[in-house]
Amino acid sequence: MDAKTYPVTRTDAEWRALLTPEQYQVMRNHGTERPGSCALLYEKRAGTFTCAGCDQPLFESKLKFESGTGWPSFNDPVEGSVENTVDRSYGMVRTECHCARCGSHLGHVFPDGPPPTGLRYCINGVALNFEPAA
């Protein structure tokens, strides 16, 4: 993980106890879930997508769109909730996004999304929880 200290920190044992093995692989080891494998890909209700590691609100459902990629995609995160870093893994340069509160890997952001931002936050569904609007 990054050397940066985040507001929510846990030991490796605490992360393993909190997360499922798949969540741990994605969120703490920068893994990727299989496309189309997460139920949140199909979530269409009004509400908020939060970090599975610390419950920080990350994305509002009104900014979710169908990208055809197999992962939940959003135009823009909740302000201040996501930070980006350069990811040079797998022989390419991408922009990784992670939770600003706990540092957990969420996915990547690409410049090929719809207006108004033109961004596509391509997020691993296992890194998210969903809270329906009241």
Side-chain angles (χ1 to χ4, degrees):
M1 291 303 301
D2 301 329
K4 178 180 175 177
T5 300
Y6 293 93
V8 172
T9 58
R10 293 182 170 85
T11 66
D12 188 62
E14 290 170 331
W15 282 116
R16 288 180 185 276
L18 175 69
L19 304 172
T20 68
E22 184 180 24
Q23 287 174 317
Y24 182 87
Q25 177 58 26
V26 167
M27 298 174 72
R28 306 314 298 170
N29 289 328
H30 300 261
T32 302
E33 69 188 0
R34 197 176 75 252
S37 64
C38 183
L40 290 182
L41 175 62
Y42 308 102
E43 181 58 66
K44 301 203 184 304
R45 295 176 290 170
T48 304
F49 293 86
T50 63
C51 177
C54 70
D55 297 323
Q56 163 135 290
L58 298 172
F59 300 96
E60 297 295 331
S61 61
K62 65 185 174 192
L63 296 177
K64 185 174 184 270
F65 65 93
E66 178 51 56
S67 65
T69 61
W71 291 279
S73 296
F74 303 87
N75 282 102
D76 216 9
V78 171
E79 188 173 340
S81 67
V82 172
E83 295 177 342
N84 297 327
T85 55
V86 175
D87 176 0
R88 298 183 189 282
S89 63
Y90 302 106
M92 59 185 132
V93 178
R94 299 178 292 174
T95 301
E96 176 200 355
C97 54
H98 57 272
C99 176
R101 184 184 287 166
C102 72
S104 291
H105 172 75
L106 302 171
H108 292 86
V109 60
F110 301 96
D112 60 2
T117 66
L119 298 175
R120 173 174 54 94
Y121 283 81
C122 188
I123 306 299
N124 289 284
V126 297
L128 303 172
N129 289 322
F130 180 70
E131 295 179 7

